[in-house]
Amino acid sequence: MNGISDTYGASYGAGYEYGGNKRKADSAEQEDGVNEWMDAIAKRKEEIVEKVRKGETEPSIPIGAASFTYKQWNKLMKNVDRAIDDMQERVRAEEEDAELLVKKKKDNSITEEMLEELLGIKMQRGKVFHGGELSSQIGSGERVALDNEYYSIQPEGDGLFSITDKKTGMVYKFAEEGCSLRQDRASGRMFLIPGGAYEQMGSILEADSTLVSMMAQYFGVDSLKAGILAGYSFETNEETGIEIMIRDGMKGRSAHILFRSREDMAAYERLVQIYRGEYPNLVQSDEMAEFYAALEIEGLCHRTETGILYTHAGGIGYADENNPETNWWIALDEESNENYDMLMEMMEDIKKKDGITADINEWKSGLERRKAVYKVIEADKGREDFLTGIKSLTVK
């Protein structure tokens, strides 16, 4: 019994001693863990105190590779706004000091220079395309003439090419550099706009899908993209029914005639013959007759019983068929769309009253009623000099 007790007691004692040592070890580990937690909490407290001191306790929003709190973002935006405002103020000051300003910057606009200064980068500059420019879509490969029942395209050398519209018989010449294909949003119609060597003297050609496809083949590309047609308006000549395109700001100065059918060409030819037959002294060649017919379609000259009346954004004049001493020109204070609209309004009033008149006093009275600023230039020079002056005002 005692042995058993001794044995059990010994075993129990040993176990008790072991358990006590284990509890001591666990207690030490727990104490170390608590100390680590306390250290971490203390460190976190220090971080929070530092963030509070810096005002960085708000949520942080990732922006790219960085992140910003609401306060940091607002501060950054205020700095950006202030920088833009400062630059805009400098721009406005420079504009006020400039004597001639070609293009005024809009309020709140940001220029490339402003972005460069703000962002600290250099903007890549190059040719700006508004869309549809041929030179940005075609290569420099060999140009081969094309012909079908509707059109003929011929290379003319030095980057020039011609298109014959077989519907009208008209031949158009274009320079590849600067020429563009544009589409009118309202009607969906496409137009080939001249540029380069033919920008001033060239004619605009309406281009249907057949011609566009043919041009792509001529230039060796799969297709041609059209840009947006902007800066033009359309009108129709009442007598001939021929449509014209007028560039913004050029009303009463020049227009592009759109010959779209054989009927258009026939109406034009009839007008040419009228000028050739009714005004043999003023119109002494087929070329002059064509010139006057085009001017009438564009709304820049008008036939009277005794001569030809000219209207222009800068004035109105008259050339007599038989007596050049009665020629006259009234020059307005400036060339403008408003002045041309005023003359056309006067023209309609005079037509309703007595028909188109060459009486200078009738026109002077109308201008005075409208408080227009003008001066009269008497044609004391020869008819040829006078007509040359008229032509210089109306030539494209």
Side-chain angles (χ1 to χ4, degrees):
M1 179 70 174
N2 290 337
I4 295 173
S5 299
D6 292 341
T7 303
Y8 176 78
S11 299
Y12 177 81
Y16 179 83
E17 184 178 359
Y18 171 78
N21 292 336
K22 186 175 186 301
R23 283 194 294 271
K24 288 180 182 179
D26 291 343
S27 176
E29 290 177 2
Q30 290 175 357
E31 185 176 354
D32 290 342
V34 170
N35 289 337
E36 289 179 4
W37 293 341
M38 295 301 294
D39 289 342
I41 291 171
K43 185 176 180 181
R44 180 58 179 163
K45 285 181 178 179
E46 291 177 1
E47 291 176 357
I48 293 173
V49 170
E50 183 66 16
K51 284 181 175 289
V52 171
R53 185 180 68 81
K54 293 181 178 180
E56 298 176 353
T57 57
E58 299 178 60
S60 180
I61 303 171
I63 306 292
S67 65
F68 298 88
T69 66
Y70 291 125
K71 188 176 292 184
Q72 289 173 326
W73 182 255
N74 289 335
K75 184 178 180 181
L76 176 62
M77 289 299 97
K78 286 180 181 178
N79 290 337
V80 171
D81 290 339
R82 190 178 301 114
I84 292 176
D85 289 341
D86 290 343
M87 283 183 282
Q88 288 178 337
E89 187 61 35
R90 291 204 302 272
V91 169
R92 282 192 288 267
E94 291 173 0
E95 288 179 352
E96 291 174 359
D97 293 338
E99 292 181 2
L100 294 176
L101 185 63
V102 176
K103 182 178 181 182
K104 183 168 180 163
K105 294 180 176 64
K106 296 180 181 178
D107 291 340
N108 302 321
S109 65
I110 300 177
T111 65
E112 287 185 354
E113 291 77 11
M114 292 164 66
L115 286 173
E116 287 179 347
E117 184 173 345
L118 180 64
L119 302 177
I121 62 175
K122 292 296 289 182
M123 303 292 286
Q124 184 176 1
R125 289 180 172 84
K127 186 174 181 180
V128 179
F129 292 108
H130 299 288
E133 282 79 3
L134 293 185
S135 59
S136 66
Q137 303 183 64
I138 61 179
S140 57
E142 182 182 1
R143 307 290 187 244
V144 179
L146 296 176
D147 186 85
N148 61 28
E149 60 181 313
Y150 303 106
Y151 302 98
S152 173
I153 304 179
Q154 300 285 334
E156 300 291 341
D158 297 326
L160 303 177
F161 66 100
S162 65
I163 297 177
T164 300
D165 182 358
K166 296 184 180 180
K167 299 189 305 295
T168 63
M170 289 284 293
V171 179
Y172 301 81
K173 287 191 176 182
F174 299 94
E176 293 180 10
E177 183 66 33
C179 182
S180 61
L181 184 66
R182 303 288 176 87
Q183 186 170 35
D184 177 42
R185 281 182 168 177
S187 64
R189 293 189 295 168
M190 288 185 289
F191 300 89
L192 195 58
I193 312 293
Y198 288 88
E199 184 172 2
Q200 297 299 322
M201 299 300 293
S203 296
I204 291 177
L205 169 62
E206 183 170 354
D208 58 19
S209 58
T210 300
L211 178 57
V212 174
S213 176
M214 192 174 178
M215 288 172 56
Q217 182 182 354
Y218 173 78
F219 290 118
V221 295
D222 294 333
S223 62
L224 292 174
K225 294 182 179 180
I228 297 173
L229 180 70
Y232 289 90
S233 60
F234 297 86
E235 292 184 6
T236 301
N237 180 267
E238 292 183 4
E239 181 171 337
T240 62
I242 297 174
E243 190 177 27
I244 60 173
M245 286 177 64
I246 305 172
R247 191 166 189 168
D248 290 353
M250 294 304 291
K251 193 173 185 178
R253 296 171 214 186
S254 69
H256 291 277
I257 301 175
L258 298 177
F259 292 110
R260 306 176 62 195
S261 65
R262 289 288 181 182
E263 289 73 20
D264 285 350
M265 293 303 301
Y268 171 70
E269 290 297 336
R270 284 195 297 270
L271 204 53
V272 169
Q273 295 306 315
I274 288 174
Y275 275 99
R276 195 75 172 93
E278 293 187 6
Y279 307 101
N281 292 324
L282 292 175
V283 183
Q284 300 179 358
S285 67
D286 290 337
E287 290 75 14
M288 285 296 293
E290 293 170 357
F291 170 74
Y292 279 110
L295 286 184
E296 180 170 328
I297 293 171
E298 294 174 21
L300 299 177
C301 78
H302 317 266
R303 288 168 280 129
T304 74
E305 293 181 357
T306 57
I308 300 172
L309 195 70
Y310 305 87
T311 53
H312 185 263
I316 182 168
Y318 169 74
D320 193 276
E321 165 64 15
N322 297 305
N323 185 8
E325 293 183 0
T326 62
N327 293 353
W328 51 266
W329 179 261
I330 296 176
L332 298 174
D333 57 334
E334 63 176 352
E335 292 186 8
S336 67
N337 288 356
E338 292 73 20
N339 275 342
Y340 183 73
D341 288 338
M342 176 184 65
L343 291 177
M344 291 298 97
E345 180 183 291
M346 292 172 59
M347 178 77 75
E348 291 303 314
D349 291 344
I350 292 173
K351 279 183 180 179
K352 293 176 182 177
K353 183 180 177 182
D354 300 312
I356 299 176
T357 178
D359 184 357
I360 189 173
N361 293 319
E362 185 76 26
W363 290 95
K364 287 167 62 177
S365 297
L367 291 171
E368 289 164 2
R369 286 195 299 271
R370 290 167 173 78
K371 298 184 177 0
V373 179
Y374 70 91
K375 64 179 179 180
V376 176
I377 301 175
E378 300 291 347
D380 53 359
K381 299 183 294 181
R383 180 193 289 108
E384 194 64 33
D385 291 339
F386 181 78
L387 292 179
T388 300
I390 295 292
K391 185 174 181 179
S392 68
L393 289 172
T394 55
V395 69
K396 293 184 182 64

